[in-house]
Amino acid sequence: MKKTDKLNNIRNIGIIAHIDAGKTTVTERVLYYTGRSHKIGEVHDGEAVMDWMVDEQERGITITSAVTTCQWNGRDIQLIDTPGHVDFTIEVERSLRVLDGAVGVFCAVGGVEPQSETVWRQADRYKVPKIAFINKLDRIGANFFGTVQMLRERLKADPLILQIPIGAEDSFSGVVDLIRMQQIRWDDDTLGASYSTGDIDSDLREDAEIYREQLLETLAEVDDGIMEAYLAEAPIDTKVILAAIRKATVALRLVPVLCGSALKNKGIQPLLDAIVQFLPSPAEVPAINGVHPETGEAILCHPEEKAPLAALIFKVSMVEGRKLSFVRVYSGKLIAGTDVYNPSRNKKEKLSRILMMHANKRERVDLAGPGAIVGVVGLKDSSTGETLCQQEHPVLLEKMEFYEPVISVAVEPKTHSDQEKLQQVLEKFMAEDPTLRVQEDEDTGQTILSGMGELHLEVITSRMQREFNTQVNVGKPQVVYRETIESVASGSAVFDKEVAGNRHYGEVTLRLEPLPRGKGNRFVSRLVPEELSSILVKAVEKGVMESLESGILMGYPVVDVKAVLTGATTRESNGTELAFTVAASMAVREALSQGMSLNSRGGKIESIEPKLGVQTIKATVPLARMFGYSTSLRSATQGRGTFSMQFSRFDRN
């Protein structure tokens, strides 16, 4: 087989959907009917091949994207099953970054659900051609045509119906193929592995002809050849229709729609046919853009094995304590045992092993060419989003965008041995997951773990125990407050004492003024050198600043205050730096007690802006009121709402 033919026979696709739409069930049937698996693994039994993590099996959800390869009709399908839960959106994001096509799975009962909108927009952003598979037609309340309408309204897609269901709910038994005008029914005795095609039943014929007409009308709008034949009422060959659908799908103009029930083993083989017929190969997508890391010159990376290497690390996993990097090759080739160059870090790395992946199982290969999605062992320093190339032909591919964490918890080790392991374990998780952040709070001394949601952090802490035997207590982070003043206030104080046999005297009068939020603290002296020497002014400033480190309400630091030295009295022999430092501190305390000192709280909406079909709200919000907000927001918006949070300033009511 020619190398160009081999490239044309590859399909890199992802399965994307809202949680519980049936993505993993669809994937398990794909593996079974392509011969990749010899039994069907069920999600509800915890036996799905692609959900191999213990947490996935226990919870019945996909947490991490899993890669596998199978064959159908002479084509190699490299498939990634992605999570549907909003907390693991980054897994979808980095998968779509390296895929050439996607299958959106929709529940015929729930229709286009909130996370479906999110993942669809992600695919749109990366210009990924898509097929829609409307699943669960056997369920009570299933509505095929209602779901198609939701594709139009909510996703702004242009659906092209290729099949209509035979029956509905418990009477669903097959589909009508509108391209070939035949019906397909599956054999329940063979778990759907065998199926029969035949003439369309008379009671379905009228509906089939109506939707066949709509299919041709829609294609005529995007294909001149179909348009001419349609207007001339000439017969249109099936091959011509298939070619027109493929062209429109790859160009992102139409979304082919198929249907079935994965759990009941119906509809998967035609979906596989559609994947190889309508979704593009790596040779059919535009060459990926890169830049020279030093000159910034634009570089096109063509999918050719003889071209210089350009590959992207889109995911890192820690498997049995070893680092496994997932890589998409765009041009050139990876060869096991050779060196590659990481221009982001200006480092050479060695490719110890190259692995073809099947969920958590691996098969060693010597070489991976354009279009390949493989696991790589041996990359010590390289991380997610970085490029691998040749040092003599350096190139930087566009980096991946990562989401900011939205929720935090405080973690503390249960025992001394856990303390020793905790930091190392957290570093491994951060290497895997770019949406996970860890920081030490200087004010409270707590270790703060931040992520995309409560489930995300719950899974991380569960994995600490399961995979690394590290036990932690989890709680809410302590909120750090600040104090300030609301009005101008004055204070004065005298320090007159004998210390260590020496007399110390200093009298200070000062004024505190509130500053705008976020401006910090300032000190200004209104005295001339004849009134107080510069050395003693410095002593006053020291006393002021030290005193502002602890407020009078709850001991929090005082911020956004201007201290003005307005008067001072000294005695020639007894005026000392110690006396003026202490007197200044006492004067500040007096002024704070009069200045309506208060805790920093409060918040408000600052702007609402439309952006890409959604509303973006910018607001300042008290941190103490943000605990549990992620769950509340998703509940109030049916899962559509997301947010990011960063420190703005300390504020007042």
Side-chain angles (χ1 to χ4, degrees), residues 45-344:
D45 293 333
E47 296 179 351
V49 172
M50 301 298 275
D51 287 350
W52 56 270
M53 289 174 59
V54 175
D55 278 286
E56 292 178 314
Q57 294 167 354
E58 287 186 354
R59 299 170 192 269
I61 62 171
T62 301
I63 291 172
T64 182
S65 53
V67 182
T68 191
T69 304
C70 56
Q71 286 77 37
W72 185 255
N73 289 347
R75 307 294 197 277
D76 292 328
I77 300 175
Q78 298 184 123
L79 184 151
I80 300 181
D81 178 30
T82 66
H85 195 286
V86 65
D87 282 19
F88 308 104
T89 301
I90 184 60
E91 292 288 332
V92 185
E93 182 83 19
R94 56 186 177 186
S95 298
L96 287 171
R97 171 68 173 80
V98 298
L99 292 173
D100 303 322
V103 176
V105 178
F106 301 90
C107 172
V109 180
V112 177
E113 297 175 278
Q115 185 64 5
S116 304
E117 298 175 32
T118 301
V119 297
W120 199 267
R121 284 197 298 268
Q122 288 172 299
D124 284 341
R125 186 164 65 251
Y126 289 116
K127 295 182 171 55
V128 176
K130 296 170 287 293
I131 290 173
F133 180 74
I134 298 179
N135 192 28
K136 300 190 177 184
L137 283 168
D138 60 303
R139 296 274 296 274
I140 295 174
N143 187 340
F144 171 76
F145 295 106
T147 303
V148 172
Q149 187 59 28
M150 292 176 77
L151 293 176
R152 289 192 180 94
E153 294 173 353
R154 294 193 177 177
L155 303 181
K156 310 303 179 190
D158 197 351
L160 181 70
I161 298 176
L162 304 186
Q163 299 172 345
I164 58 173
I166 301 174
E169 301 179 346
D170 58 356
S171 65
F172 172 69
S173 60
V175 301
V176 173
D177 178 351
L178 299 175
I179 298 175
R180 300 166 184 83
M181 287 301 280
Q182 59 186 20
Q183 66 182 30
I184 308 172
R185 295 183 187 271
W186 279 265
D187 183 359
D188 292 334
D189 294 335
T190 63
L191 296 177
S194 61
Y195 55 93
S196 60
T197 61
D199 293 336
I200 300 171
D201 292 344
S202 57
D203 59 331
L204 296 170
R205 190 80 195 181
E206 184 178 349
D207 282 348
E209 289 175 350
I210 291 172
Y211 286 104
R212 159 82 172 193
E213 193 74 8
Q214 290 183 7
L215 167 68
L216 295 177
E217 285 178 2
T218 304
L219 282 175
E221 293 174 1
V222 298
D223 188 278
D224 292 340
I226 300 271
M227 172 68 81
E228 292 176 8
Y230 181 73
L231 293 177
E233 298 185 357
I236 305 174
D237 188 76
T238 296
K239 290 183 179 179
V240 174
I241 295 174
L242 293 173
I245 296 172
R246 179 181 184 81
K247 182 179 177 183
T249 304
V250 172
L252 305 174
R253 301 192 66 178
L254 296 176
V255 177
V257 179
L258 298 93
C259 59
S261 169
L263 187 63
K264 299 297 183 182
N265 309 311
K266 295 177 173 66
I268 302 302
Q269 293 92 338
L271 175 61
L272 282 164
D273 289 339
I275 288 170
V276 299
Q277 288 170 339
F278 306 137
L279 292 179
S281 72
E284 293 172 290
V285 296
I288 194 166
N289 295 310
V291 296
H292 193 286
E294 295 175 3
T295 66
E297 176 190 358
I299 299 174
L300 275 180
C301 303
H302 296 281
E304 299 169 0
E305 196 170 292
K306 292 182 179 179
L309 173 66
L312 183 74
I313 303 170
F314 68 95
K315 178 176 175 175
V316 171
S317 289
M318 303 304 295
V319 180
E320 298 173 354
R322 301 191 68 183
K323 184 176 177 181
L324 175 63
S325 303
F326 290 81
V327 177
R328 161 73 193 258
V329 182
Y330 286 98
S331 66
K333 56 190 175 184
L334 296 173
I335 303 174
T338 62
D339 289 339
V340 291
Y341 178 64
N342 181 336
S344 299

Side-chain angles (χ1 to χ4, degrees), residues 378-515:
L379 304 180
K380 295 181 180 178
D381 298 310
S382 302
S383 63
T384 302
E386 294 179 351
T387 304
L388 300 178
C389 60
Q390 298 165 328
Q391 192 164 11
E392 59 271 26
H393 298 288
V395 63
L396 268 177
L397 301 179
E398 182 182 355
K399 284 210 166 190
M400 299 166 65
E401 295 182 6
F402 301 125
Y403 297 91
E404 290 298 317
V406 299
I407 193 169
S408 302
V409 295
V411 294
E412 61 178 25
K414 288 187 176 181
T415 67
H416 181 69
S417 63
D418 294 326
Q419 171 73 54
E420 294 176 344
K421 291 187 290 185
L422 181 59
Q423 191 59 38
Q424 185 179 11
V425 169
L426 290 175
E427 287 175 1
K428 289 181 178 180
F429 281 127
M430 285 192 292
E432 272 193 10
D433 189 343
T435 63
L436 195 68
R437 307 285 168 80
V438 177
Q439 64 178 18
E440 295 292 327
D441 192 308
E442 295 180 359
D443 293 297
T444 66
Q446 290 180 306
T447 298
I448 306 299
L449 183 63
S450 304
M452 297 305 298
E454 293 175 7
L455 179 60
H456 182 201
L457 297 181
E458 187 181 319
V459 168
I460 292 295
T461 53
S462 170
R463 290 182 61 197
M464 284 185 195
Q465 178 179 338
R466 291 182 191 276
E467 298 176 25
F468 298 98
N469 194 28
T470 303
Q471 311 292 326
V472 294
N473 293 318
V474 179
K476 290 181 179 179
Q478 295 176 18
V479 177
V480 178
Y481 293 103
R482 295 291 185 266
E483 298 180 18
T484 189
I485 59 172
E486 196 173 35
S487 59
V488 176
S490 298
S492 61
V494 177
F495 183 83
D496 185 8
K497 284 187 178 180
E498 186 174 307
V499 179
N502 296 316
R503 196 75 186 176
H504 297 267
Y505 180 87
E507 181 179 349
V508 171
T509 301
L510 50 77
R511 183 175 70 248
L512 299 184
E513 302 172 0
L515 291 175

